[in-house]
Amino acid sequence: MVDDVQIVHYDSNTRTAVPKQDWMKKVIDDDPEYFKRSTNIFMGQEQTFKDNIEVLKQRFNQTGGVHIYQVMYGCEWDDEKNEVNGYRQYGYDGEDFISLDLKTETWIAPKQQAFITKQKWDNNKARTAYLKDYHTRICPKWLKKYVNYGRRSLMRKDLPSVSLLQKTPSSPVTCHATGFYPDRVDLFWRKDGEELHEDVDKGEILPNHDGTFQMSVDLNISSIAPEDWKKYDCVFQMSDVKDDIITKLDKSVIRTNWVPPSGFPAGAVIGVVVGLLLLLLCIAGLFMWRKKTNGFSRANISESADSNSDSSQSQLSGKTGGGE
């Protein structure tokens, strides 16, 4: 991922690293062995992940069930301050397991079950020195290369379309922004020019299928008098973009699927009548069939279902050898 955009993909079904952005093809032009080399690294990591799942199940005295082992590592580069920060952390079943402190060059183990791994990795000074070099020198070098390749795409500014949505007249009004890029944005309601923190519910920034993002923030209007609606507006702000997108709280622009009730519709009455007639016909036909065949016979049915349901990794166990 670069700036929350996926650039390379690998999974255990394809067993091949593939580019996910058009501009990544430039990498192949300059380095034809890039994806072959990446595939070999990922295949090795895949086996390491499987081995580590078994190690962690033993550490936590687990014999079955579905479990998740995660590794997240990378670097952040601030091109304005020219600062670089690296990180490497491991998780198990959604919780922190162990992480690297690059400043002290030691491992932090918040779980008792990670202490064996901490001791092993703290004693492996050569590996820790390599990881520090990777996160502070090698990783930023590649990050800068990726940014250079995808500059036109990664450095673009896509402004969103902003809409006001509402389920019913008494529901909260949702300010929804979609199609923006990058995700360094803010979306909020304000009253008389002041940002609101009460009676609002801000959602997370979510990805769209096309690589852009979307975000919503709800405003509870139950205590807002109709004459005060004009005091409220929704504001979309994007980093490094001077002008905000401001949308006034106005009933005339709110989009909704709600249809006011207007008595029991004639169409529904006709539908019920037709349904009853069909039901009577079915009952009559069923009665005649039962009479002709002298009762039901149990069906003989057999059912079946198919159930398909970087190369610095090392063994989590205290044992020596390959893997993580």
Side-chain angles (χ1 to χ4, degrees):
M1 308 281 285
V2 175
D3 290 346
D4 295 319
V5 175
Q6 187 181 37
I7 63 170
V8 180
H9 177 81
Y10 172 92
D11 63 42
S12 58
N13 294 318
T14 64
R15 297 181 69 82
T16 302
V18 295
K20 299 299 288 185
Q21 300 295 323
D22 290 339
W23 53 264
M24 280 296 292
K25 296 174 183 177
K26 299 177 184 177
V27 177
I28 304 176
D29 294 338
D30 293 344
D31 185 359
E33 296 296 313
Y34 174 89
F35 281 97
K36 181 179 179 180
R37 191 168 62 248
S38 297
T39 295
N40 291 334
I41 292 174
F42 291 141
M43 289 177 66
Q45 289 182 337
E46 179 186 342
Q47 186 58 49
T48 297
F49 272 50
K50 292 179 179 179
D51 294 342
N52 284 340
I53 281 280
E54 296 304 317
V55 171
L56 289 165
K57 285 169 64 177
Q58 294 177 16
R59 294 270 184 91
F60 287 87
N61 295 320
Q62 297 164 334
T63 56
V66 177
H67 301 283
I68 301 174
Y69 168 63
Q70 296 167 287
V71 182
M72 183 170 66
Y73 67 90
C75 55
E76 298 175 351
W77 166 48
D78 187 331
D79 59 345
E80 294 180 355
K81 298 180 181 178
N82 199 27
E83 293 179 353
V84 172
N85 292 306
Y87 55 89
R88 176 173 288 260
Q89 54 199 78
Y90 299 74
Y92 185 60
D93 285 347
E95 296 184 356
D96 292 341
F97 182 74
I98 193 170
S99 60
L100 174 62
D101 186 332
L102 284 170
K103 292 182 179 179
T104 62
E105 299 184 37
T106 57
W107 292 89
I108 301 172
K111 297 281 187 183
Q112 180 182 357
Q113 291 86 348
F115 191 68
I116 297 175
T117 301
K118 170 181 166 56
Q119 286 184 311
K120 176 195 173 186
W121 289 358
D122 278 346
N123 290 330
N124 192 341
K125 302 296 185 183
R127 177 173 180 264
T128 302
Y130 163 76
L131 290 178
K132 184 170 184 177
D133 180 65
Y134 173 81
H135 288 294
T136 58
R137 185 181 64 85
I138 300 175
C139 179
K141 177 182 176 182
W142 275 101
L143 177 56
K144 294 173 184 179
K145 184 179 293 188
Y146 291 137
V147 171
N148 185 54
Y149 280 123
R151 181 171 299 277
R152 180 177 297 180
S153 174
L154 295 172
M155 306 299 282
R156 74 185 193 275
K157 303 287 184 182
D158 292 345
L159 295 177
S161 61
V162 181
S163 305
L164 298 184
L165 312 172
Q166 192 178 33
K167 292 181 179 179
T168 70
S170 60
S171 300
V173 174
T174 299
C175 182
H176 179 69
T178 185
F180 58 85
Y181 184 92
D183 64 348
R184 294 186 292 275
V185 304
D186 196 8
L187 185 69
F188 57 90
W189 282 100
R190 67 183 183 183
K191 178 184 178 183
D192 293 329
E194 296 292 330
E195 182 177 352
L196 289 173
H197 298 285
E198 296 182 356
D199 295 326
V200 295
D201 184 13
K202 182 179 291 189
E204 297 180 353
I205 297 177
L206 302 174
N208 290 322
H209 69 280
D210 61 356
T212 62
F213 299 92
Q214 62 172 293
M215 185 182 184
S216 296
V217 58
D218 296 344
L219 173 66
N220 186 348
I221 61 169
S222 59
S223 59
I224 302 178
E227 60 270 20
D228 290 335
W229 276 44
K230 59 185 178 182
K231 299 179 180 180
Y232 294 80
D233 52 36
C234 175
V235 182
F236 175 87
Q237 292 180 340
M238 175 177 283
S239 178
D240 299 327
V241 173
K242 182 179 179 180
D243 296 327
D244 299 338
I245 298 178
I246 300 174
T247 307
K248 291 285 186 181
L249 180 60
D250 185 345
K251 286 186 179 181
S252 64
V253 300
I254 294 177
R255 298 164 59 184
T256 181
N257 291 327
W258 182 76
V259 178
S262 57
F264 200 73
V269 175
I270 295 173
V272 171
V273 172
V274 172
L276 287 173
L277 289 174
L278 289 173
L279 179 62
L280 288 172
L281 288 172
C282 290
I283 293 173
L286 179 63
F287 176 77
M288 292 173 64
W289 184 83
R290 287 193 62 182
K291 185 175 181 180
K292 183 176 181 180
T293 59
N294 294 321
F296 292 106
S297 61
R298 183 170 182 175
N300 183 18
I301 301 174
S302 63
E303 296 183 357
S304 64
D306 292 331
S307 260
N308 293 325
S309 12
D310 73 78
S311 59
S312 61
Q313 306 291 324
S314 61
Q315 281 273 5
L316 289 170
S317 65
K319 301 176 182 178
T320 59
E324 187 146 297

